[in-house]
Structures are given as C-alpha cells and as structure tokens.
Amino acid sequence: MSNMVTFSFFQLKLLMRGYKDTAIGFILPVVMFIIFSNVFAGEMILETGFSLVDYLLPAFIFIIIINAVIVIYGQYYSVYKEQGNLLKYRLLGLDHFTISLGILLPTLIFQLLAITLLVATAIITSEVPIPFNNMPSVLLVIFLVNVFQYSLAALIFTVTTKSSGYQSIALMFFFYQMFLGGLTFPPEMFPDSIKIIVEFFNPIYYALIAFRGVWTEGDPVYLYFQELGVIIIVTAILMFVVNIITKNKRVIE
C-alpha cells in the first residue's frame, strides 16, 4: 500500500509538471459546454420534456473521463512500457497492479477536479440541475465508464509497442466516441443512417443514455440494466482479449 501511495505521488508530480497540456484537455469540455449551451438554448426533447442543454452536462462529463483514462493514463503507461520503466519498477518491488493503479489514480484526481469545474460552470451559466439525491446511481455509471475506458486503453497498449502508435490509436478512439457517441451533438440530432452505426458500433452511446437518465431525469440506475449490461459485457470481452494477448506474448518471449 505504501509503495502505491509513493508511486502515485511521484506520478502526480509528473502530471503537475505537464499541467499545461493536462489543463487544455480538461478545460476543453468546459469551453465546449459554454459554446454548445448557447447554440442549443431553447431546444427541447419532446419525448422527455428536458432541454438539449440539460443533456449536455452528462455527455461532457464523459468526454473528461475518456480523456483522463484513454489519453492521459494510457499515454503515460505506454511511455513507461516503451522506455522499459515498467520492468525497472518491478525490480524495485512494484507489481503490475501497483504500477497500473499508481499511474491511474493521479489521472482520476484530475478527472474529479475537471468534472467539478464543469459542473460549477453549468450551474453558473445555465442553471443545470444537479442530481444530489441520486448520487449513488450517478457514481455507479461513472465507475462503469471508467472501467470500460480502462479496458480500451489496456487493449490499445497491449497491441502497440510504441507510445506514438498508442497515441494515434487512442486519439482515434477518443474522437470516435466523442463525435459518434452523442457526446458533442446529442444522438437525437443524428440522421437514421448515423444512428444505426452509433447503436451497433459505439458502446459509449448506451452508457450515455443511462447517464442522462440518472443525472438529468433522476431515474434509478436499475432502470438502465440493459444499457449498462452492454457496457459491462463489452468491458469483460475486451479484458478477456487483453488477457489472451498478454499470455501469448509471454509464451513467445
């Protein structure tokens, strides 16, 4: 436990040294919220009675999560892997779980700060309601999305050998989820042809539906067991594939 705390503080210092790059990634959703909340002002979803602006905040929270896990965490991990630092840390007595969690925890701290900033901005600029009475459901969805993004990051740095390769693929997944997952433009605005692609090939869409339900509409999380079931199943499949690839690499080595 002490090794994990020490390593996490070390990683946090590295993140703080590169605070400009990190801040840009986290401030982006705040700027986007201000812009899109003005663009979509007055637009309503007739089926639910909520406005498009009410649904923007849950979507942009997901953008922060994806950026934190796939882009920041995964990039640091892939750099350590490329430089051989993972092996060095293991020789110092740090197991794989400690190293991985030690890199992930500081990014979660930045993620929390960024979400707090985004929520505060939404309250001040658009008076978006915050589901304080439904926080257990909200936190559960956030946790599941973090685990899902971790599984994506694990798959990418398992199949890549260079940090540059990881960064290229990670950004592709980042933008794919952001633009074709309903995280920028609400899925209600997609034409039918795009909706088919989103519903069949972008699991983050189902997490978004669940998160909008528990955050904006105040629904209990169990009402979205099908949507969250998709995320859980995809996450399990990705981690299974990662485990198989990792074992095969060890056998070859």
Side-chain angles (χ1 to χ4, degrees), residues 96-171:
H96 180 271
F97 176 78
T98 300
I99 297 171
S100 182
L101 190 59
I103 300 173
L104 182 62
L105 285 177
T107 64
L108 295 180
I109 293 174
F110 274 86
Q111 179 186 135
L112 177 61
L113 294 175
I115 291 175
T116 302
L117 177 61
L118 176 61
V119 170
T121 302
I123 294 174
I124 295 172
T125 61
S126 303
E127 298 182 353
V128 175
I130 309 301
F132 294 108
N133 295 330
N134 204 27
M135 273 300 155
S137 294
V138 168
L139 293 177
L140 177 59
V141 178
I142 289 177
F143 170 76
L144 292 176
V145 172
N146 268 284
V147 176
F148 170 55
Q149 298 305 315
Y150 173 84
S151 68
L152 280 174
L155 178 64
I156 299 171
F157 60 62
T158 299
V159 299
T160 55
T161 56
K162 300 290 185 180
S163 59
S164 57
Y166 176 90
Q167 186 176 25
S168 299
I169 298 176
L171 288 175

Side-chain angles (χ1 to χ4, degrees), residues 188-205:
E188 288 81 5
M189 300 182 66
F190 290 162
D192 291 339
S193 57
I194 299 297
K195 276 187 178 180
I196 293 175
I197 297 175
V198 170
E199 291 177 2
F200 280 92
F201 299 103
N202 204 338
I204 198 68
Y205 164 80

Side-chain angles (χ1 to χ4, degrees), residues 58-83:
F60 289 171
I61 289 176
F62 275 11
I63 293 177
I64 292 175
I65 294 174
I66 296 171
N67 180 63
V69 180
I70 285 189
V71 178
I72 297 179
Y73 160 75
Q75 183 63 21
Y76 270 100
Y77 190 95
S78 64
V79 168
Y80 286 167
K81 177 183 175 183
E82 181 181 5
Q83 295 176 346

